[in-house]
Amino acid sequence: MGEGRAGPVRPSPRVFTIPASAPFLPVLAEALLGGALVPGFAPLGDPLALASATIYLPTRRAGRLFAEELRRRMGGTTLLPKIVPVGDVDEDALIFSEESAGPPKAVAPTTRRLALASLVGKWRAALRDGDGRSVVAAGPGAGLALADALAGLIDEMGAQQVPWSRLDDLVPGEHDRYWDMALDFLKIAREVWPSLRGEEVDAAVRRDRLIDAEAARLAALGDAAPPVIAAGSTGSMPATARLLDAVARLPRGALVLPGLDRHMAEADWRSLTQEPSPAPSHPQYGLARLLGGMHVRRAEVAALAEAAAHRRDALLSEALLPAEATPGWASLAERLPEATRAAALAEVTLIEADDAREEALAIALVLREALEQESRTAALITPDRDLARRVAAELLRFGIAIDDSAGEPLSESGAGRLARLIADAAAERLAPLPLAALLRHAASRLGLDRTALGRAIDALELTVLRGPRPAPGAEGLAAAVAGFRPADWHRDDPRRGVTEDQRERAADLARRIGEALAPLAGLGPGLHAFADLVAAHRAAVAAVLAGEGDAPTEIAPDEIALATAFDELAAGAPLAPAMSLADFAAALPHLLADTPVRPPLDAGARLRIYGPLEARLVDVDRVVLASLVEDVWPAMMRPDPWLSRPMRAALGLDVPERRIGLAAHDFAQACGAPELVLSYPRKLGGAPTVPSRFLQRLAAVSGREAWNAARSRGERWRRVAGAVDVEPAKERIRRPAPTPPAALRPTRLSVTEIETFLRDPYAIYARHVLGLRPLDPLDAPPGAGERGTAIHEALGEFAKAFPEALPADAASRLAGFGRVAFAPLAAFPAEHALWWARFEKLIPLYLAWERGRRAGLDRVIAETGGHLLIEGTRGPFRLNAYADRIEQRKGGGLAILDFKTGAVPTAKQTRANYSPQLPLEAAIAARGGFAGVPGEEAVELVYVKLGTAELKQISAVDKDATALGLAEDALERVTTLVRAFENPAQPYVALRRTQFRGRSGPYDHLARVREWSVGEEEAE
């Protein structure tokens, strides 16, 4: 068996294969126990003999499953063989025999990552702008990404035994300027990195040395070697291939390959590795290269099991042929008749979902159905973690918790998110948004029990976190709480009702926040040693997690993972770059993302989610292969940031298409399941997708009728998924019209609220009957309201100070009042600077207007309050007003003015009672309702538009009306309105006047306006 090599004669290797359509581990166990693998070794009836064997498998998961299979077949007490994870593309360091002296310790991945990130950062900093610094991505995330790519290149060159000295053979100037810059850096890195890691070696190098040492040890044993079997590996790494070769040549050794294609024509098989045009993207490329290196012909590989009767293996072999061999599809009917292809697809379902949401729900239903039959198993295999999370969430709708072997990144776990929020809050100096998110995190305690903390958070939010931002840092937060006075707020503002107990709770929480985050926030601006950042961050996390009277509980897996991550970051800190606190917070998600948090293994789980690597050698009854679109499966070929494609070829590194070949092999292996479901979304993120090349090739060879049958089976699942979310027909929601008892209805309103009463009675109900007050958003910057308030205050105080004649220095005096009014906005420098500059432009315009007005006036009454009692059927109703300005004219009569910094109502709107504020103030003034204002009729109602380019005076009375007539008409309508709503049957209808629907109010969400208004518009 095998072709001889030049030199000493080597034993012929024993090589087997298990078809993709056969369950790999059960077949392997049967062959091992029955003596088919190793001559004279059949330990089925001997529970002690099995312990003498050694089995090499590609992953630890495969090792656990194989051990379970052996226990099941042996029954009773059995000594298992030594099962060793050889490691393949992404496997961890290996564990070999105690006799091996072992290479030096491997450098920790986190330490290497930090050290390389520091090296990359120094290189970029050393570049001058003219030398290309602008083309090298900046920022913590970009630096870590470049460091990860550099680490991958180091591992790749080590695994493929490419000496770093070959970099000297690359000729500068033959490439783009960036690649020459990158090449210069790589030459520096090859010298600096060994000195940084010291006596430690890269993990990939250590792994390869372990593998080579094991291969040499096995070869030296000769005839004394115990039974040794290597199974399931494709030998994608050269060191692994050497170990597989050594195992296969042992007298009692055997190599079992996964899914060797025995259907491909010999010429096509040879072309896979034939220079100068090999086919690295083919699923069999790795096996062809392995057998070629071992000098084993494909025909010499024996099958341990027959392929499944459906002959899907043969169909996949045709579908995945190299591009040069696809012209042979013209004679496909001769090799695979249509009936054979239809049989191969009889248990295949194709789901062509509209989008990721529909795909996830359909897959969840497919998996759920598998549970209907006892002991039936199913698995979702996908490289798309977003889809995996969606499917898990959809299954929870049915009360099913699926076992997700990949877990979740530490950065997205509860503990990881808490750590990120702490760093963000400290970096942003306790800005309200990140601080509120931190406080509301389920794990936050700050020395309190959760109930007490919740009350304190509510108090702190209400007092200082909502509305304009307090001064930065713990001192600013504490000062804002200490300076909070409920009396400073408007009587209708929720903050007006803050109690002393709430203030004390807020002050206590502000103190606790400052103490907990002091280690991190106290570092201040500038760069800090990475070790100091990690230590301070860890202390802050511990302080936030500490609760009052918390009973000792089992530590959660994510908290254990976070503690381990802190240990690893601290260990690598001496080689890490110095960072600012902001950069550390930005880097933290990247630093934690590579650490998985996996749930405890559920050996009895019948539904699982696997990645393509984790799914190798796993056997289930129903397999769902999902996200079969280009750039997902296979993954997008991302360019190497350090070496161009020609540079990689010159060095002798694998081409990027090799990864496509590995993805294709995973796809072909998974397609051997008894029941197969293929799924992809037509759109992702709103953009059309391209079905995976594997799927397109399979469709091309399957035949239209058989493929349409698979598609129709998938349509059934799409229909079921659509039916899941269909709600039974129900009556469309109607416009709310509550009718509270008369005793709960308001007996006083302001004139500004009358407009709301006319437009939207429901808003009055929500505000005065339910007692609901809208809260400011968190960290709300000052807006037009604050600007208008400041201007009104400045003009009002100026008019109060000079009610009759203007002073000679009116401009400076008005500016002085303005500085006082605008002072609260100083905490927002950008807004303050802009609005103050506009106010300064307004001063001369206002004074010119003021001098023109004063010529016909006796005096001005500014910012004055008044009221009027309206007699209702159930008692008096108080109508309150607060006038911006009332003028006593020399010839008699009053002028009532309202300053506007925003939109100004038209005279037509005022006459139609859409904006009745000025007419109602005139009615109150006529009846002596304003303090210090004689009861006279108003002869002028004026809106004054305050702008920076002009100050415009707009009459609220059109030519067909009078101020007195408007006042009396408005008062009559309000009286009618008040008396109507004294009736308990009168509803507070939402948006009573439809012409105002375009406006949005603070209670629209409570009235569910968007739901019922659409229905009414359709009806209209």
Side-chain angles (χ1 to χ4, degrees), residues 113 137-148 579 583 586-588 590:
R113 190 182 196 196
L144 288 170
L146 286 172
D148 292 341
M579 288 186 182
D583 282 349
L588 197 60
H590 305 279

Side-chain angles (χ1 to χ4, degrees), residues 408-417 558-559 561-562 565 592-593 595-597:
E408 63 179 347
L410 175 58
S411 58
E412 299 301 320
S413 69
R417 287 182 181 275
D558 57 343
E559 293 182 10
L562 181 61
L592 302 181
T595 301
V597 179

Side-chain angles (χ1 to χ4, degrees), residues 455-540:
R455 295 196 186 106
I457 294 172
D458 292 342
L460 186 67
E461 271 196 16
L462 187 59
T463 52
V464 297
L465 296 187
R466 291 189 175 274
R469 176 185 298 193
E475 299 81 3
L477 187 67
V481 175
F484 177 85
R485 295 191 303 274
D488 291 342
W489 300 92
H490 189 272
R491 63 179 178 275
D492 289 332
D493 195 292
R495 284 164 285 204
R496 181 88 174 199
V498 171
T499 65
E500 187 61 29
D501 178 66
Q502 287 177 304
R503 290 183 60 191
E504 291 176 0
R505 290 179 185 275
D508 177 67
L509 182 57
R511 177 186 59 80
R512 291 174 182 272
I513 292 169
E515 292 174 354
L517 300 188
L520 197 57
L523 292 176
L527 298 179
H528 306 282
F530 193 79
D532 295 340
L533 288 165
V534 172
H537 189 206
R538 189 169 200 167

Side-chain angles (χ1 to χ4, degrees), residues 628-640:
L628 288 169
V629 295
E630 288 294 301
D631 297 338
V632 178
W633 198 347
M636 179 188 298
M637 288 194 298
R638 291 180 172 81
D640 185 341

Side-chain angles (χ1 to χ4, degrees), residues 132-152:
R133 179 189 295 183
S134 60
V135 302
V136 181
L144 288 170
L146 286 172
D148 292 341
L150 179 57

Side-chain angles (χ1 to χ4, degrees), residues 678-990:
L678 306 172
S679 172
Y680 76 94
R682 292 191 180 98
K683 285 187 176 182
L684 274 180
T689 62
V690 178
S692 168
R693 65 193 70 185
F694 309 145
L695 203 59
Q696 294 186 57
R697 281 170 159 263
L698 186 57
V701 301
S702 294
R704 181 177 300 175
E705 188 172 333
W707 194 250
N708 286 339
R711 181 184 283 117
S712 67
R713 289 188 286 273
E715 286 300 310
R716 168 180 171 261
W717 289 111
R718 290 188 62 206
R719 289 194 299 271
V720 175
V724 167
D725 287 332
V726 172
E727 296 183 4
K730 58 184 179 181
E731 184 180 358
R732 186 184 297 273
I733 184 173
R734 296 182 179 180
R735 184 197 305 242
T739 55
L744 298 180
R745 299 186 174 218
T747 57
R748 64 171 61 197
L749 290 174
S750 67
V751 293
T752 54
E753 287 181 307
I754 294 300
E755 178 181 333
T756 304
F757 203 178
L758 292 167
R759 175 181 68 87
D760 186 9
Y762 185 88
I764 299 299
Y765 164 78
R767 186 179 187 89
H768 292 281
V769 177
L770 298 182
L772 300 176
R773 298 290 187 272
L775 291 172
D776 286 340
L778 290 168
D779 199 9
E786 285 76 15
R787 172 175 172 262
T789 298
I791 293 176
H792 275 73
E793 180 183 339
L795 299 184
E797 294 300 320
F798 177 77
K800 287 178 184 178
F802 309 104
E804 296 178 356
L806 295 180
D809 58 345
S812 61
R813 302 295 291 270
L814 179 55
F817 286 116
R819 277 187 283 272
V820 174
F822 277 82
L825 298 175
F828 305 90
E831 288 85 353
H832 183 274
L834 176 64
W835 293 347
W836 176 250
R838 290 180 177 178
F839 182 73
E840 286 183 315
K841 291 182 179 179
L842 175 65
I843 290 175
L845 297 174
Y846 173 79
L847 291 177
W849 171 85
E850 182 74 271
R851 292 187 180 98
R853 293 287 303 182
R854 294 284 179 118
L857 303 180
D858 284 336
R859 69 184 183 114
V860 173
I861 303 96
E863 303 286 338
T864 184
H867 72 276
L868 175 68
L869 294 179
I870 298 175
E871 288 300 325
T873 58
R874 293 178 178 270
F877 182 93
R878 181 175 174 127
L879 181 64
N880 296 320
Y882 193 78
D884 284 351
R885 176 172 171 134
I886 299 177
E887 299 174 347
Q888 286 184 260
R889 298 167 62 91
K890 290 182 178 179
L894 303 175
I896 301 178
L897 288 76
D898 188 44
F899 293 113
K900 294 290 186 182
T901 55
V904 177
T906 65
K908 184 177 180 180
Q909 288 174 333
T910 304
R911 185 176 183 182
N913 277 305
Y914 290 159
S915 299
Q917 177 185 346
L918 286 182
L920 288 175
E921 289 178 357
I924 296 173
R927 290 159 176 79
F930 283 105
V933 178
E936 298 182 22
E937 294 180 1
V939 296
E940 190 177 10
L941 304 178
V942 177
Y943 293 110
V944 181
K945 172 68 174 176
L946 302 174
T948 55
E950 63 175 343
L951 190 149
K952 191 173 183 181
Q953 185 172 291
I954 303 169
S955 175
V957 183
D958 61 20
K959 62 181 181 179
D960 297 325
T962 64
L964 176 61
L966 289 178
E968 294 305 315
D969 182 55
L971 181 60
E972 180 181 352
R973 294 201 178 193
V974 169
T975 302
T976 302
L977 181 70
V978 167
R979 292 172 178 172
F981 274 86
E982 287 180 326
N983 180 2
Q986 177 66 40
Y988 286 83
V989 180

